[in-house]
Amino acid sequence: MSDNKIYFKFDGKRYGGNEGDTIASALLRNNIKFVGRSFKYHRPRGIYTCGIEEPNALVQIINEHNEPNVRATVKKIYEGMVVKSQNRWPSLKRDFGSINNLLSPIFSAGFYYKTFMGPKGFWKKVYEPLIRRTAGLGKPPKEFRSKSIHIHHNVDVLIVGGGLSGLLAAKKLAGTDHDVLLIDRDDCLGGILKNTKKIKSIDNQRTNTWVEKTEWLIKNSKNIKILKNTTVTTYNFDNHLVAFEDKSVGKPPDNIKPELVLHKIRTKHTILANGHIERFISFRNNDLPGVMLAASFEKYIHKYGVVPDQNPIIFTNNSSTFSLLKSLVDLGHKPRAYVDVRDQKKIEKETLELLTKYNIPLYAKSEIEGCDGKNGVQKVSIRIKKNEIIKIKTSMLCVSGGFNPDIHLFTQSKGLIKWDDSLLTFKPDKSYQNTITLGSVSGNFSYEKLIGEINKKLSFLQGVNHLESTLDINGPKKFQIKELWETKHEKKSFWSKSFIDLQNDVTTKDLKQAILEGFNRIEHLKRFTTNSMGTDQGKISSINALGIVSKILKKNVSEVGTTIYRPPYTPVSFSAIAGRSTYEFYDPERKTPLHTWHVNNNAVFEDVGQWKRPWYFKKHTNETMHEAVQRESKQLRETAGILDGSTLGKIEIKGRDALTFINLMYTNSFTKLKPMSARYALMLGEDGMVKDDGIVCKINDQHFIATTTTGGAANVLAHMEEYAQTEWPDMNVYMNSITEQFATFNISGPKSRVIMSRVFNDIDFSNDKFPFMTFQNFNYLDTQIRILRASFTGELGYEIYIPPKYALRLWQRIFFYSRDLDLVPYGTETMHLLRAEKGYIIVGQDTDGTVTPLDLNLNWMIGKKKKDFIGKRSLTRSDIVRENRKQLVGLIPLDKTYGIEEGQHVIEKENLSTPIKKPVEMLGHVTSSYFSPTLKHSVAMALIRGGKRKIGSQLYVSTSDLNTIPVEVVETSFIDPKNERMLL
Amino acid sequence: MFIINCPYCGERDQSEFSNGGEAHVARPKDPEQINDREWSEYVFVRANPKGIYYERWVHTHGCKKWFNAVRNTSTDKILKVYKLGEAPPSIKEFKNTLKSPSGEPEVGSGNFTVKKT
Ligand SMILES: [Zn+2]
């Protein structure tokens, strides 16, 4: 095709649009007005506005991963774009869900809270599937993509809005020393200068020429940067604003370049020049396709060169519609009627002159009662006198209910607003931050006063010039409005509805009903009716709702108040927020120096914090996890096993007062511990609850190395730092993480001494020379390693600490020397099983922040003679010494063929009534459970009330199939309670 | 997303810091000598006022140093920062902006935004 048209698809049909067209302007160009169905009632909906405020025309972009809820009035078309309408099934014209419109009594105010209560079982079988099928805005995207980046700005002045006020402000700042950022959400600057006929000329130049010249001047000023297609969505504390730039406007998706940019802006002063938004009026069927806001209609004419309809009816309560009237008659089009709520005497003479000149019927002191038509406006009813209604055929109705300063960002900044009785809207009152409002957002709708306002409000900025400009204004100079929020219904039928929130399908009747039900506070009313809770946040209607409510409550709008305007101002795609933090960049993956070896040996990995740890090693492809863990566990207790423990946190503590410090940080006493010895140590919070555990090695009184749980490393270091800095600043002690400085191997099992002696043939590993819980440093190649004799499996065991670059070589060497000894590599699951057999706890699995050392039977770890340590005093609090606290015990099933499930409840009774009528008293829950290949039955640990006294008794554990199994309560040490194997 | 002036590094974004709760809650010198109630007040009870609050912050993603700050909890304005060991500023230094008995801030949101002050 060589006609310069851009072709795209809407609901399967091909349409052509012009370059720069939005989906909406292109559809209007093709005379398509019916573009979607509404959220609740599935009523036909059209294009209501020409910008970000659009409540109705939401579409899905199929070729952009199904991107839902895209505003057709904002998104620009490109060749090959595939667009689909929303909320309809099976098709736009025949929609099954529109039956909701007939069921509307059940969808009235508060329907979320009331309707779906009964009968029993209906929720799962009827309501939920029905709601899932027909409700919701659009459908979620099929896959996540992020091609966004974040950019930070630090500027002196941020100007939000590049319309008339924003451009004048920028002109005033051009060439000064202020670092300025000017942001406009459109693809061009100019605002009303481009979208309306309100200004004839500026400085005797045509408006377009003036905009071009001013933009050129700004660009050449060197101190002002312009961002277009960028919407400021958020205004935070300390003048921190967030803006969202769409780089791909009018372009098909690009697979390389970032499409979205999230700008994070910190500024000294914010100038809000973001204008105003037109609002609608509620009348019967004010949602029909063909009803459009008047200023939006005019914007289609000037910005896109589309006349949505040549002979619409204009309905207004204010002076602004002169501009639309003028635009239409200038093009030779004649509106069918001009309906003004105001008395003829109050209507501006400029408007009356035009109406007379072009012979357009004026209905003064009249209002639109409603409109009718199938899938679009066909007929409009005008109430010309109290009881007299006339009907006029038309396919479009342009409505203006007045203007609201766009105060969203201003209120986000926590500025105060006030009601203006002459403008009938809220406008900024007092800034909270360094925020300046200019032009219509400040409530100034008089162009004559604009230059004065800008000069006055920006005079405090250093080095700015006095701005001089002459504006030649078209039509009425002063903005006049008469209050009207809703017109009276004539017809009563299910189909006849007067909407207050188009996106959420809230009717004016819902507002009345909610107030009758007692929701007379505006914040309650909003939530109960869901008014203004859609993605458009009721931009064209929320003030109207306040107007209607204030009338019912017989209060002033300022007494009714307004709800909070929350960020973001317009919907922000998750992918923009995500930026580069996606997939592997979202949370870094940490791998040990042996990772490749694990991969090559068929390890299945488990995420522990950010670490990738081998969970178990598959011997052959068909081996299940259970089989692998049973094999690894059994093998280790028979010969030996090796675990990559490099992820364990390691903290080095040094200083003259290191011993005193360690004694305060841990429950155990380190005073009498000999140098080059180690202790299993517990760390508590000040509340006496177990926070972490690990082995603490004492090199000497001034030097310790503590290990922590893999997940707890950062917290433990922070905890130590906090106490060192805030409680004991005079202590000479320093600590640092050395987790990554050493790889750690845990070798354990009866054969581990043989293996160690072969690998390190010059070291004596005998009990005398290398007793349990001691460590030694050795030279190995050209580095130093530390070997600690310790065990977490209950078997004879050693831990080797070695700098990472030597790790793989040593690891392989160990396997080489134990090739005839069946050394088995094992993962975290086997480690968990083995320690559970031995009765060792895992902090975070067998504890949950409510468990003390006493509850865990770890009294032996408490340095009784120590005067103080963190949490000590709490251990004698009345609640901590209470006998029936939950305490850790072991459980064994009476019938050894049964397995116990982790997380199940421990109860006293065998039988549960079905259905359960009375709450069943729960004694506690199972914290760990494994099938022991050595004992050949299930072993479990549980936290149960008064557990210590229950040892020897019989209890029951619930199962996931609603049965119970009898268990015996035992001590937690299932294997080798005398530690003979460990001390071998 | 407010700015915090770290006494060691200078102004940095809030996201670099962590809050450490009320400041100047000294750990009892001799915990064994105080009763359960006094001890649990130290462990669990904090003032948490709406208004002027002395609290601890740590520059977690920076110098890792702890310091104290005076913040108005109803406006999130940080009024003063000072190093550990320095004497806390007198409460009289700060104008309490609370106007109503229930302590709504002068500047707020929602209904408060149009409330007559
Ligand atoms: Zn710092």
Side-chain angles (χ1 to χ4, degrees):
Chain A
M1 306 254 173
S2 59
D3 54 0
N4 290 332
K5 287 259 173 197
I6 295 170
Y7 288 91
F8 68 105
K9 270 187 178 171
F10 177 68
D11 279 350
K13 242 185 114 179
R14 199 157 162 269
Y15 296 99
N18 290 1
E19 199 187 326
D21 262 345
T22 59
I23 297 168
S25 68
L27 288 173
L28 288 169
R29 204 179 284 289
N30 287 280
N31 212 17
I32 304 290
K33 295 196 182 102
F34 173 20
V35 300
R37 282 189 180 269
S38 71
F39 159 64
K40 217 157 74 181
Y41 302 130
H42 287 230
R43 286 168 67 105
R45 290 288 164 84
I47 297 158
Y48 222 88
T49 71
C50 187
I52 49 95
E53 68 269 41
E54 178 63 32
N56 266 349
L58 303 181
V59 294
Q60 201 136 9
I61 312 294
I62 304 304
N63 64 314
E64 294 185 19
H65 302 280
N66 251 356
E67 183 86 11
N69 304 326
V70 173
R71 284 154 301 171
T73 53
V74 173
K75 180 83 178 175
K76 299 224 185 288
I77 55 162
Y78 52 80
E79 189 68 39
M81 184 186 221
V82 183
V83 186
K84 230 170 145 177
S85 56
Q86 287 187 173
N87 298 335
R88 86 289 187 287
W89 178 76
S91 77
L92 193 55
K93 293 239 162 72
R94 282 164 199 279
D95 171 68
F96 174 76
S98 56
I99 200 162
N100 288 358
N101 190 57
L102 301 175
L103 299 175
S104 57
I106 69 160
F107 281 103
S108 64
F111 87 107
Y112 285 118
Y113 312 107
K114 294 193 293 208
T115 314
F116 306 108
M117 299 286 280
K120 209 172 155 234
F122 256 52
W123 174 258
K124 249 202 137 65
K125 291 201 181 82
V126 181
Y127 297 139
E128 193 185 327
L130 181 79
I131 290 172
R132 284 194 189 280
R133 166 115 256 170
T134 56
L137 294 168
K139 292 197 171 61
K142 286 199 175 113
E143 67 183 65
F144 181 77
R145 57 159 187 156
S146 176
K147 286 198 299 297
S148 79
I149 55 167
H150 293 185
I151 295 180
H152 292 260
H153 303 264
N154 277 286
V155 295
D156 297 322
V157 182
L158 170 68
I159 304 173
V160 182
L164 178 57
S165 310
L167 283 175
L168 286 167
K171 203 174 166 191
K172 195 172 167 73
L173 285 160
T176 63
D177 290 339
H178 302 282
D179 188 3
V180 183
L181 186 62
L182 170 67
I183 293 184
D184 196 276
R185 63 177 173 235
D186 232 322
D187 59 352
C188 63
L189 303 177
I192 58 137
L193 299 175
K194 297 247 174 177
N195 304 333
T196 72
K197 281 227 152 171
K198 284 176 178 159
I199 308 285
K200 223 183 274 173
S201 67
I202 309 181
D203 300 338
N204 299 317
Q205 296 163 21
R206 287 179 52 235
T207 51
N208 276 343
T209 319
W210 184 85
V211 171
E212 269 169 42
K213 280 194 173 168
T214 309
E215 186 173 350
W216 186 86
L217 177 110
I218 293 167
K219 274 188 180 154
N220 284 290
S221 69
K222 307 242 176 354
N223 69 321
I224 304 180
K225 187 180 156 71
I226 302 173
L227 287 175
K228 293 179 190 172
N229 297 311
T230 307
T231 311
V232 178
T233 60
T234 309
Y235 195 145
N236 293 320
F237 277 118
D238 281 349
N239 268 315
H240 180 268
L241 292 94
V242 180
F244 171 71
E245 180 183 6
D246 189 351
K247 284 259 187 205
S248 65
V249 173
K251 280 180 260 173
D254 185 307
N255 285 324
I256 302 150
K257 285 188 204 139
E259 293 177 338
L260 309 167
V261 183
L262 199 77
H263 297 274
K264 298 175 179 176
I265 306 149
R266 187 77 75 173
T267 173
K268 290 185 185 124
H269 301 279
T270 307
I271 296 174
L272 294 178
N274 53 330
H276 55 269
I277 291 176
E278 191 165 29
R279 62 192 185 211
F280 74 167
I281 296 170
S282 297
F283 48 81
R284 184 171 56 81
N285 299 338
N286 59 333
D287 64 325
L288 265 185
V291 181
M292 188 187 276
L293 292 181
S296 299
F297 192 99
E298 199 186 346
K299 190 171 166 187
Y300 281 113
I301 297 174
H302 298 297
K303 189 169 160 65
Y304 299 103
V306 182
V307 183
D309 194 291
Q310 297 187 353
N311 313 100
I313 291 177
I314 299 173
F315 175 34
T316 187
N317 67 347
N318 64 73
S319 58
S320 75
T321 29
F322 166 86
S323 182
L324 170 60
L325 186 63
K326 174 100 171 95
S327 300
L328 279 167
V329 295
D330 280 357
L331 288 168
H333 304 315
K334 188 178 155 185
R336 269 175 222 276
Y338 191 88
V339 184
D340 199 320
V341 181
R342 296 174 295 166
D343 194 289
Q344 186 150 352
K345 279 178 249 157
K346 298 257 177 175
I347 301 175
E348 298 69 25
K349 66 172 194 325
E350 294 91 336
T351 309
L352 293 174
E353 277 167 19
L354 273 188
L355 292 171
T356 317
K357 186 176 169 195
Y358 292 96
N359 200 15
I360 297 162
L362 163 69
Y363 297 92
K365 228 179 163 183
S366 303
E367 62 184 28
I368 301 293
E369 181 272 330
C371 48
D372 296 280
K374 192 176 183 288
N375 296 340
V377 175
Q378 285 165 328
K379 226 186 287 168
V380 167
S381 304
I382 307 170
R383 182 181 286 113
I384 51 170
K385 275 182 197 150
K386 205 169 178 209
N387 285 318
E388 195 181 337
I389 285 178
I390 59 157
K391 293 188 175 174
I392 301 181
K393 278 191 181 167
T394 184
S395 57
M396 275 200 95
L397 174 59
C398 305
V399 182
S400 176
F403 293 107
N404 298 326
D406 196 355
I407 53 171
H408 284 239
L409 290 174
F410 182 77
T411 56
Q412 280 184 31
S413 80
K414 301 283 182 222
L416 284 172
I417 55 174
K418 68 175 174 210
W419 183 257
D420 186 308
D421 280 324
S422 60
L423 296 173
L424 296 176
T425 189
F426 284 109
K427 68 179 188 187
D429 181 13
K430 211 160 126 192
S431 295
Y432 177 59
Q433 306 192 33
N434 298 336
T435 315
I436 301 136
T437 56
L438 295 180
S440 57
V441 69
S442 72
N444 175 12
F445 285 96
S446 159
Y447 298 116
E448 282 181 317
K449 293 182 187 156
L450 184 61
I451 306 291
E453 184 195 5
I454 293 171
N455 276 326
K456 193 174 155 214
K457 287 184 175 171
L458 299 185
S459 63
F460 75 97
L461 289 165
Q462 272 191 346
V464 289
N465 301 316
H466 189 78
L467 196 66
E468 280 188 50
S469 252
T470 46
L471 298 179
D472 190 3
I473 299 154
N474 245 335
K477 299 228 167 25
K478 197 168 183 303
F479 178 72
Q480 302 271 14
I481 183 169
K482 181 174 188 240
E483 185 171 22
L484 178 71
W485 310 109
E486 184 189 11
T487 70
K488 213 181 94 212
H489 262 219
E490 222 41 49
K491 262 192 190 166
K492 304 252 183 294
S493 75
F494 276 152
W495 176 254
S496 298
K497 288 184 198 306
S498 157
F499 285 92
I500 186 65
D501 183 321
L502 292 163
Q503 192 173 98
N504 271 354
D505 269 358
V506 183
T507 64
T508 54
K509 202 173 139 200
D510 290 331
L511 294 183
K512 285 159 206 162
Q513 187 194 332
I515 292 170
L516 273 180
E517 292 186 25
F519 294 90
N520 55 7
R521 294 296 297 264
I522 195 69
E523 294 280 1
H524 296 160
L525 193 83
K526 165 181 167 178
R527 279 148 189 93
F528 191 63
T529 60
T530 73
N531 180 53
S532 79
M533 283 171 71
T535 59
D536 62 332
Q537 294 191 32
K539 286 194 173 59
I540 64 167
S541 62
S542 66
I543 301 292
N544 301 53
L546 300 178
I548 292 172
V549 169
S550 70
K551 287 268 175 288
I552 303 170
L553 296 175
K554 298 193 171 62
K555 284 181 175 175
N556 292 327
V557 181
S558 58
E559 289 174 276
V560 172
T562 173
T563 54
I564 297 168
Y565 295 87
R566 287 201 172 76
Y569 170 72
T570 53
V572 176
S573 144
F574 277 118
S575 72
I577 297 167
R580 302 299 296 273
S581 303
T582 55
Y583 302 105
E584 64 268 39
F585 298 108
Y586 171 65
D587 201 13
E589 284 179 1
R590 303 174 79 183
K591 293 169 182 165
T592 76
L594 303 169
H595 190 80
T596 329
W597 189 93
H598 301 323
V599 172
N600 293 339
N601 285 272
N602 305 319
V604 176
F605 291 92
E606 178 189 25
D607 290 335
V608 184
Q610 294 172 331
W611 288 102
K612 294 275 168 206
R613 295 197 72 178
W615 199 7
Y616 57 94
F617 291 85
K618 270 186 177 224
K619 198 167 186 187
H620 50 84
T621 34
N622 294 328
E623 192 178 43
T624 64
M625 173 167 167
H626 177 76
E627 286 163 358
V629 171
Q630 293 289 310
R631 170 181 54 77
E632 291 171 9
S633 308
K634 199 157 178 281
Q635 187 70 53
L636 184 140
R637 292 218 190 275
E638 281 169 16
T639 56
I642 185 165
L643 173 86
D644 180 1
S646 306
T647 63
L648 279 184
K650 297 174 268 289
I651 298 170
E652 188 161 36
I653 301 113
K654 276 184 169 179
R656 274 197 310 280
D657 300 311
L659 174 65
T660 318
F661 183 72
I662 287 286
N663 271 334
L664 283 162
M665 296 313 295
Y666 288 94
T667 59
N668 322 55
S669 174
F670 293 87
T671 313
K672 288 191 181 149
L673 183 70
K674 286 194 193 117
M676 305 307 281
S677 301
R679 243 185 204 146
Y680 171 54
L682 270 188
M683 176 175 270
L684 308 185
E686 206 70 277
D687 57 1
M689 304 303 162
V690 174
K691 207 176 157 74
D692 204 73
D693 67 350
I695 289 176
V696 176
C697 296
K698 177 176 175 177
I699 293 157
N700 55 51
D701 284 353
Q702 283 85 46
H703 190 183
F704 292 82
I705 291 172
T707 63
T708 73
T709 54
T710 297
N715 291 337
V716 170
L717 181 63
H719 175 74
M720 288 181 174
E721 270 291 346
E722 178 184 342
Y723 274 87
Q725 285 186 39
T726 66
E727 291 300 338
W728 308 302
D730 297 331
M731 267 191 206
N732 181 293
V733 62
Y734 303 93
M735 60 232 73
N736 200 6
S737 164
I738 51 165
T739 302
E740 291 86 356
Q741 272 64 39
F742 297 96
T744 307
F745 312 159
N746 304 53
I747 300 170
S748 70
K751 295 268 198 292
S752 52
R753 181 174 287 133
V754 184
I755 295 169
M756 292 298 280
S757 309
R758 285 189 192 173
V759 177
F760 306 100
N761 52 25
D762 50 347
I763 301 174
D764 186 348
F765 287 96
S766 68
N767 253 333
D768 292 347
K769 286 278 152 55
F770 213 136
F772 185 59
M773 291 309 257
T774 62
F775 63 96
Q776 300 178 36
N777 294 327
F778 301 101
N779 291 326
Y780 173 74
L781 303 178
D782 57 344
T783 186
Q784 211 180 40
I785 58 168
R786 188 168 70 249
I787 298 175
L788 163 71
R789 183 166 165 202
S791 170
F792 194 45
T793 60
E795 301 293 329
L796 171 71
Y798 299 89
E799 292 183 2
I800 305 167
Y801 294 82
I802 179 167
K805 74 168 177 175
Y806 301 93
L808 182 59
R809 224 184 322 162
L810 177 59
W811 180 271
Q812 283 165 334
R813 189 177 151 95
I814 294 167
F815 274 95
F816 177 79
Y817 280 107
S818 46
R819 58 198 183 281
D820 56 331
L821 294 174
D822 292 329
L823 175 70
V824 62
Y826 68 100
T828 50
E829 192 63 18
T830 293
M831 173 185 83
H832 285 186
L833 185 155
L834 296 168
R835 64 87 205 177
E837 284 181 336
K838 184 67 185 160
Y840 290 158
I841 59 152
I842 299 251
V843 173
Q845 176 163 349
D846 303 297
T847 71
D848 58 4
T850 67
V851 183
T852 71
L854 314 178
D855 301 335
L856 297 169
N857 244 335
L858 294 175
N859 310 39
W860 60 272
M861 294 183 70
I862 297 168
K864 301 257 166 13
K865 286 184 195 145
K866 287 208 300 189
K867 192 165 161 280
D868 193 12
F869 57 80
I870 291 167
K872 177 165 197 263
R873 177 61 185 83
S874 285
L875 297 180
T876 53
R877 284 179 59 230
S878 56
D879 189 61
I880 304 298
V881 296
R882 190 163 49 86
E883 274 202 358
N884 66 339
R885 282 181 64 83
K886 283 189 181 167
Q887 292 149 347
L888 192 75
V889 294
L891 301 177
I892 295 173
L894 286 191
D895 180 337
K896 298 276 163 58
T897 59
Y898 282 131
I900 298 172
E901 293 167 64
E902 262 173 25
Q904 287 291 349
H905 291 194
V906 181
I907 49 181
E908 219 144 354
K909 281 204 205 118
E910 177 173 9
N911 292 316
L912 299 173
S913 61
T914 41
I916 294 170
K917 288 196 181 104
K918 257 200 308 188
V920 181
E921 203 199 356
M922 170 199 169
L923 295 172
H925 70 282
V926 178
T927 59
S928 293
S929 179
Y930 299 89
F931 185 83
S932 163
T934 309
L935 300 169
K936 299 201 168 49
H937 62 75
S938 214
V939 296
M941 290 197 267
L943 279 168
I944 63 174
R945 206 176 308 141
K948 281 180 209 166
R949 279 179 294 124
K950 290 205 167 64
I951 286 176
S953 62
Q954 183 182 328
L955 293 174
Y956 297 87
V957 172
S958 59
T959 65
S960 49
D961 55 358
L962 299 178
N963 277 318
T964 60
I965 53 170
V967 293
E968 191 194 349
V969 184
V970 295
E971 301 278 356
T972 47
S973 195
F974 301 97
I975 276 185
D976 187 29
K978 288 185 186 152
N979 295 335
E980 282 162 352
R981 304 167 71 109
M982 210 154 66
L983 303 174
L984 191 74
Chain B
M1 297 298 278
F2 43 93
I3 290 175
I4 297 176
N5 188 6
C6 171
Y8 302 93
C9 310
E11 291 191 339
R12 294 289 190 280
D13 198 277
Q14 175 200 351
S15 58
E16 293 184 13
F17 297 83
S18 313
N19 183 287
E22 188 170 1
H24 309 297
V25 183
R27 190 170 188 271
K29 281 266 174 303
D30 198 348
E32 301 294 307
Q33 295 307 309
I34 58 175
N35 64 31
D36 271 13
R37 200 183 51 81
E38 289 164 326
W39 175 254
S40 47
E41 264 172 27
Y42 159 68
V43 178
F44 302 113
V45 182
R46 296 295 181 267
N48 195 25
K50 187 161 189 174
I52 307 295
Y53 198 33
Y54 291 68
E55 59 187 7
R56 308 183 313 158
W57 285 86
V58 56
H59 196 180
T60 314
H61 303 290
C63 63
K64 285 194 159 58
K65 283 276 198 186
W66 284 83
F67 58 91
N68 292 324
V70 182
R71 181 172 63 107
N72 186 333
T73 58
S74 59
T75 60
D76 263 346
K77 274 232 157 84
I78 293 195
L79 306 166
K80 189 149 196 167
V81 292
Y82 54 102
K83 291 180 184 173
L84 295 180
E86 287 177 8
S90 158
I91 191 124
K92 286 180 198 144
E93 273 189 38
F94 311 104
K95 201 179 119 211
N96 201 331
T97 50
L98 307 189
K99 288 265 156 132
S100 71
S102 59
E104 278 103 12
E106 179 190 6
V107 176
S109 54
N111 272 323
F112 302 140
T113 56
V114 287
K115 194 167 264 180
K116 289 191 181 75
T117 48

